[in-house]
Amino acid sequence: RHILVHVASHAHKCESLLMMARKLYAFVQGKCKEDNADAMANQELLLPGHLLTMFVKEKIDEGLQAMRGMFQREVRVDLPKLLGNLRSNTFLPKMIDRCLGSVAQKVTTFLSTGN
């Protein structure tokens, strides 16, 4: 039930596992080469939603890393000023807008150009 979930019958699962074991033994003995990672059979198919989710996650991560760098720089330069700014209600939204505000624009560009 938990092995080769895409295969329905136990007989086909057994055949698949035996074929994998045979291929592993042949590879260890040098009778066959390793699979080419660039072959079409080894490529991942991404649905549009998954691709967009990965893109947005990557851009948000980049923005958060930029925000982290800005905070670290502010801590090194002038910690008391940073602590005073954090008490205000406008500093953090400005920082978030500066670092993450362009995510929507990047998604729009990605959807219109593919880059």
Side-chain angles (χ1 to χ4, degrees), residues 96-115:
I96 291 171
D97 190 45
R98 189 179 307 150
C99 296
L100 296 171
S102 63
V103 171
Q105 181 61 37
K106 290 176 182 177
V107 170
T108 303
T109 303
F110 175 70
L111 290 174
S112 62
T113 64
N115 290 329

Side-chain angles (χ1 to χ4, degrees), residues 14-69:
C14 184
E15 287 178 28
S16 296
L17 288 171
L18 289 173
M19 190 257 323
M20 288 182 208
R22 275 187 250 130
K23 188 168 182 178
L24 178 63
Y25 280 115
F27 177 70
V28 169
Q29 293 172 354
K31 293 180 181 177
C32 71
K33 293 183 179 180
E34 64 181 286
D35 288 341
N36 182 2
D38 294 330
M40 287 298 291
N42 296 325
Q43 296 299 314
E44 182 179 5
L45 177 67
L46 289 176
L47 297 174
H50 293 135
L51 179 63
L52 188 59
T53 301
M54 286 175 52
F55 182 79
V56 169
K57 179 185 174 285
E58 181 180 305
K59 296 305 171 190
I60 289 175
D61 189 47
E62 288 174 7
L64 290 174
Q65 291 297 327
M67 205 165 146
R68 178 179 182 221

